[in-house]
Amino acid sequence: MAELLFIATTIFVAYVVFVVMGDKKPKPSAAKPEAAITPAPEPKASQAEAISPPPVPTEKPATPRPSTRKTAAKPAAPAQAAAPTATADSVKNPKTGEVAKISGNYAFAKRWIKDALVEEGLLDKVYKNNELDEAATTKIQAALQQLAAMDKYR
């Protein structure tokens, strides 16, 4: 019985492959010979007069409606406002200007944040994920809060 099921499955798969491979139709441009393509006949003079474009309706130009809002002249924004600003839970890389959010988990903090913690003397080294324990985590969280409070990283 298993042999019959195997043979039927093989025949079905062969049929599906045959149908899929046989569905490749030639492109219409390649199928038609150039001699068979004839240009469209030009309309006669009487037909050209009978077929005229529809008249274009003339509309008066749209007038701008007066604004009902009271707009005050806005002063020019300083250049610092255009730059991304760091919020309380994010820090700014002073070298590149990148603003990154301080994550609650040290393992997900960006590399430059970890390096900045060591450069500023808040941590003694960059911790690896397998070195993180309860004491190291509390030390790291305190260091991250001190880093976020520094003006250099705001």
Side-chain angles (χ1 to χ4, degrees):
M1 190 66 176
E3 293 85 14
L4 291 176
L5 183 62
F6 176 75
I7 292 171
T9 304
T10 305
I11 292 173
F12 176 73
V13 169
Y15 172 74
V16 169
V17 169
F18 175 75
V19 169
V20 170
M21 298 304 264
D23 280 346
K24 292 182 181 178
K25 296 180 182 178
K27 295 184 179 180
S29 61
K32 293 182 181 179
E34 291 184 25
I37 300 174
T38 57
E42 296 182 17
K44 296 179 183 176
S46 61
Q47 289 178 347
E49 292 174 3
I51 302 173
S52 62
V56 178
T58 57
E59 297 178 9
K60 58 183 178 179
T63 57
R65 294 194 296 183
S67 178
T68 58
R69 297 182 195 164
K70 294 182 181 180
T71 57
K74 294 182 181 178
Q80 285 182 336
T85 57
T87 60
D89 63 341
S90 61
V91 290
K92 180 181 175 185
N93 187 350
K95 296 176 185 173
T96 62
E98 175 190 5
V99 176
K101 186 175 180 182
I102 298 175
S103 67
N105 192 345
Y106 179 75
F108 294 117
K110 294 211 177 216
R111 184 68 184 181
W112 68 265
I113 295 174
K114 296 176 183 179
D115 292 337
L117 289 170
V118 174
E119 287 175 13
E120 296 297 329
L122 301 173
L123 292 177
D124 54 338
K125 66 175 185 174
V126 175
Y127 289 93
K128 295 180 182 176
N129 290 344
N130 60 355
E131 298 173 341
L132 296 176
D133 57 353
E134 190 68 32
T137 304
T138 57
K139 186 177 178 181
I140 289 168
Q141 290 301 323
L144 284 172
Q145 294 304 318
Q146 291 175 353
L147 184 77
M150 290 183 178
D151 289 334
K152 182 179 177 182
Y153 295 99
R154 284 191 186 179

